[in-house]
Amino acid sequence: MRNFTSLTVIAASCFLMFSINSASGTPKFKNGNLEPETVFKFNNRFVLGTIDAASITNFYKKYPKLKTYQKDVEDLYKKKDYKTIWFDDKSVSEFGALLYHKIGLLEEQGINAEMPYMDLVDDVFNENVSNKLPQTDTELLLSNMYVFYASNVYSGVDAQTLKKIGWYLPTKTISYDRILDSLMGDPNRLNKDENLLFSQYYKLQDVLKKYRTIEKNGLWKKIEIDDANFKDLKPLDSGKVIQQIRERLFVVGDLKEDSKSQYYDQEMMDAVLKYKKRYGLKLNYTFTKEQIDQMNEPIANRIRTIMLNMERCRWIPTKLTKADEYVMVNIPSFRLIYVKNGKYDLVSDVFVGTRMTETVIFSGNIDRIVFSPYWYVPASIIKNELKLKMAEDKNYLADHNMEWNGGAVRQKPGPDNSLGLVKFMFPNPNDIYLHDTPAKSLFDFEKRIFSHGCINVKEARQLALEILKDNPDWPVDKINNAMSGEKETTCMLKNKIPIYIGYFTSWVNDEGEIGFYPDVYDRDKRLDKLLYGDSVALK
């Protein structure tokens, strides 16, 4: 948890270069290099050899607001044999000065946190302050600064809290000792380390910087329309609003140049499609009032969305996305991605659970594909829906190709089966799986929340073909025959395929283009309150 206040963004021409007036006594870094030009030195040089358990205990009595870090700091010194971490024989180490600099740039990490007693840390690096802290206090204060930084940047919300908010994807555990050794061995990892944060984090970070620049330069201008008399905009239309939309499309990168034209031409048509694709909208050239209202959302909202999704990225173990093969479903984008050998092998639209029957965020392993499946109707659906329909129509089951089976109801295989002609199973307590659907028209909607929790896949047949492409026991003809809808047939996979069902309302593709998606389950709102609520305790 965090207690958030705003920090000042420290502008620099190079991410890891900073320069402060030499009178302040803080280090100055060379352009493009982590080597400091001058080493900060205390007026009173000393050698601090060891820290003991008693001194750590006394420190937290003196600085109680840091007590949340006590256990991690104690473990850190145990693993370091209670030797000093932050001093060499002259001064605070160069790495300590670099870490202090990074604390001042937390906003670039999408974080608005401030560590307690930061004014004392500032004094440590200000040579004009003559009344220095005791040596042991300084050492332990810097260790707390490190744990504060690492926990906020590399870990995020703790695992127990994640379960409370319904995030059941695998979470990572971090070792402050190993991370510290890694960073001190190669300080450039403070800038980027995909062993600690997976690549999507850094893509979002780049876009965050871009959107903050847009905000700072006042480029996010409101698009003015007459609400009462507005008509949908279409190609060949003209007017000032076209010019304003064109300018926005240029600012966000959907247009390479801004011609200032008020005419809805081919160039703008192409840009509109790019914009709509990024927002998960239906791909056409018509621009509606609702879409202009979306464009007029404050840029601060977009920035906050990016920050929230950077936080989600902190929770993801980097090894998940380095697997040779996996399936990922992103609920807000209504999109499934099948990755094989590091490449997107298949991308498909999906629809997910309604607000009453939300699709759960979790992971599993696909172990089998079932062709022409039976649909075993869940007891909740029988109780809340079927019984009523059967009472109204005694032929309801027969008319819908259903039958009683051992006290339960199931729908027989066929093209009208609710699961379509194929399903992908991964054992889980929520009884959720991927499946085909006969209701193909539902994929025409932009906001696709229609199911009872399972994930309906538009390209389900193609997904089966891609998964079994290299399996000689399942040639295309056999798959087509199994999907005829006549008989349920199961294919057990030789190698289980990891599947991750996640929730990201912004995502950056490999071309650096960001997509923004609807917060269909209000999870952004809940995470925002968790992270930025006034009453939230420090993480």
Side-chain angles (χ1 to χ4, degrees):
M1 305 291 182
R2 306 170 186 154
N3 183 18
F4 285 83
T5 59
S6 59
L7 291 173
T8 302
V9 177
I10 301 176
S13 60
C14 176
F15 185 69
L16 287 172
M17 178 195 78
F18 79 107
S19 173
I20 303 176
N21 192 305
S22 58
S24 70
T26 53
K28 182 185 288 186
F29 288 83
K30 296 178 182 178
N31 186 24
N33 199 318
L34 285 175
E35 294 297 325
E37 292 179 356
T38 58
V39 177
F40 171 77
K41 300 178 181 180
F42 281 106
N43 291 326
N44 52 331
R45 296 184 181 181
F46 62 90
V47 177
L48 180 64
T50 60
I51 295 289
D52 57 29
S55 62
I56 294 176
T57 299
N58 290 333
F59 174 85
Y60 287 104
K61 290 179 180 178
K62 190 173 182 180
Y63 304 99
K65 293 180 181 178
L66 293 172
K67 196 169 179 62
T68 185
Y69 308 122
Q70 182 170 352
K71 183 180 184 303
D72 293 320
V73 170
E74 288 174 343
D75 290 344
L76 190 62
Y77 280 100
K78 285 179 184 177
K79 292 176 181 177
K80 299 292 184 187
D81 295 325
Y82 291 96
K83 294 179 181 178
T84 182
I85 297 171
W86 304 104
F87 290 91
D88 53 31
D89 60 347
K90 297 179 180 179
S91 62
V92 173
S93 66
E94 295 172 8
F95 178 76
L98 179 60
L99 182 64
Y100 169 69
H101 163 62
K102 295 291 290 183
I103 288 286
L105 299 175
L106 277 179
E107 277 201 347
E108 293 185 1
Q109 306 281 353
I111 295 170
N112 286 341
E114 184 173 354
M115 189 185 88
Y117 310 109
M118 198 61 201
D119 56 328
L120 299 180
V121 179
D122 293 337
D123 289 346
V124 169
F125 292 92
N126 188 347
E127 211 172 43
N128 292 329
V129 176
S130 57
N131 186 22
K132 295 293 181 183
L133 291 171
Q135 300 167 3
T136 299
D137 285 17
T138 300
E139 166 74 15
L140 291 173
L141 197 61
L142 296 184
S143 292
N144 280 268
M145 180 180 73
Y146 160 70
V147 173
F148 163 80
Y149 178 86
S151 63
N152 277 281
V153 173
Y154 300 126
S155 178
V157 175
D158 62 273
Q160 185 176 359
T161 302
L162 291 182
K163 289 182 179 179
K164 290 180 181 178
I165 63 176
W167 185 276
Y168 297 107
L169 284 174
T171 54
K172 64 183 177 185
T173 56
I174 64 174
S175 166
Y176 293 108
D177 177 54
R178 287 200 296 270
I179 290 176
L180 183 58
D181 287 345
S182 171
L183 295 176
M184 294 181 80
D186 181 6
N188 281 298
R189 291 184 172 182
L190 278 169
N191 185 24
K192 185 175 183 179
D193 189 344
E194 292 187 8
N195 290 316
L196 291 173
L197 294 165
F198 82 109
S199 58
Q200 180 61 207
Y201 177 89
Y202 295 107
K203 292 176 183 177
L204 286 167
Q205 186 181 49
D206 289 342
V207 176
L208 177 65
K209 183 177 180 181
K210 172 184 174 180
Y211 272 63
R212 280 184 168 150
T213 300
I214 292 171
E215 181 183 43
K216 180 181 177 182
N217 294 335
L219 300 177
W220 195 272
K221 298 176 183 177
K222 184 177 180 180
I223 298 166
E224 303 287 347
I225 60 172
D226 181 353
D227 291 346
N229 300 306
F230 179 83
K231 294 182 179 180
D232 290 352
L233 300 173
K234 298 178 181 179
L236 307 183
D237 284 348
S238 62
K240 186 177 180 181
V241 66
I242 299 290
Q243 183 180 0
Q244 292 175 329
I245 293 173
R246 183 188 298 276
E247 181 182 7
R248 173 65 64 77
L249 294 173
F250 168 70
V251 166
V252 297
D254 294 318
L255 262 175
K256 291 184 178 180
E257 295 181 3
D258 182 8
S259 67
K260 310 293 184 182
S261 171
Q262 294 189 0
Y263 178 65
Y264 193 163
D265 55 13
Q266 182 63 52
E267 183 182 45
M268 185 167 166
M269 289 165 62
D270 295 339
V272 166
L273 287 186
K274 287 186 67 176
Y275 174 86
K276 289 194 171 188
K277 185 176 181 180
R278 292 193 301 107
Y279 277 77
L281 303 174
K282 195 169 183 178
L283 297 181
N284 57 39
Y285 298 122
T286 302
F287 228 82
T288 66
K289 179 184 179 300
E290 289 74 17
Q291 290 162 357
I292 292 177
D293 288 343
Q294 183 184 67
M295 273 192 155
N296 279 334
E297 284 191 34
I299 191 171
N301 292 1
R302 295 283 171 247
I303 289 172
R304 181 59 64 90
T305 297
I306 295 170
M307 292 170 63
L308 292 174
N309 287 281
M310 288 177 72
E311 173 65 25
R312 290 183 175 114
C313 288
R314 295 186 182 97
W315 311 338
I316 305 293
T318 56
K319 64 181 181 181
L320 294 190
T321 56
K322 293 180 180 179
D324 292 334
E325 184 180 24
Y326 63 91
V327 172
M328 182 174 69
V329 176
N330 185 25
I331 293 170
S333 67
F334 311 110
R335 192 70 52 85
L336 173 148
I337 300 169
Y338 171 52
V339 177
K340 197 167 187 176
N341 298 323
K343 297 181 179 180
Y344 285 11
D345 202 66
L346 175 73
V347 178
S348 175
D349 290 341
V350 301
F351 63 79
V352 297
T354 66
R355 290 299 304 269
M356 296 297 293
T357 55
E358 293 183 7
T359 298
V360 181
I361 296 170
F362 76 109
S363 65
N365 291 287
I366 300 173
D367 63 0
R368 63 194 183 276
I369 302 174
V370 181
F371 297 106
S372 300
Y374 282 98
W375 176 44
Y376 292 86
V377 183
S380 59
I381 297 179
I382 295 174
K383 178 182 177 181
N384 299 324
E385 299 178 32
L386 276 189
K387 282 189 175 180
L388 209 83
K389 292 176 180 178
M390 286 187 287
E392 295 173 350
D393 180 4
K394 63 180 181 179
N395 295 318
Y396 182 86
L397 292 186
D399 291 344
H400 290 81
N401 203 26
M402 292 181 175
E403 63 184 8
W404 285 101
N405 178 255
V409 176
R410 68 180 184 181
Q411 188 177 32
K412 292 182 281 188
D416 295 327
N417 185 286
S418 294
L419 306 184
L421 295 172
V422 60
K423 67 177 179 179
F424 306 81
M425 303 297 292
F426 40 99
N428 64 87
N430 304 295
D431 197 26
I432 287 176
Y433 42 90
L434 308 177
H435 64 81
D436 184 23
T437 177
K440 301 296 185 185
S441 62
L442 295 180
F443 292 108
D444 293 334
F445 289 82
E446 291 178 349
K447 189 175 181 180
R448 298 189 291 272
I449 50 173
F450 303 114
S451 80
H452 287 85
C454 286
I455 298 155
N456 293 242
V457 183
K458 184 177 183 180
E459 305 294 340
R461 177 182 178 276
Q462 192 61 35
L463 178 59
L465 289 171
E466 294 299 327
I467 289 175
L468 298 173
K469 183 165 54 179
D470 300 322
N471 189 329
D473 297 330
W474 282 90
V476 175
D477 288 347
K478 184 176 179 179
I479 293 173
N480 289 336
N481 184 58
M483 291 182 67
S484 64
E486 297 178 3
K487 178 184 177 182
E488 183 176 88
T489 306
T490 299
C491 168
M492 300 301 298
L493 298 179
K494 296 177 180 178
N495 298 306
K496 297 179 181 179
I497 302 173
I499 177 169
Y500 310 112
I501 303 170
Y503 196 96
F504 291 88
T505 50
S506 63
W507 189 267
V508 182
N509 65 19
D510 290 339
E511 286 72 45
E513 299 167 338
I514 188 166
F516 291 99
Y517 310 112
D519 183 18
V520 289
Y521 296 156
D522 289 337
R523 285 182 171 269
D524 272 9
K525 292 181 181 178
R526 281 176 274 172
L527 181 58
D528 187 278
K529 185 176 180 180
L530 175 70
L531 295 180
Y532 307 122
D534 294 336
S535 62
V536 173
L538 278 168
K539 180 182 176 301

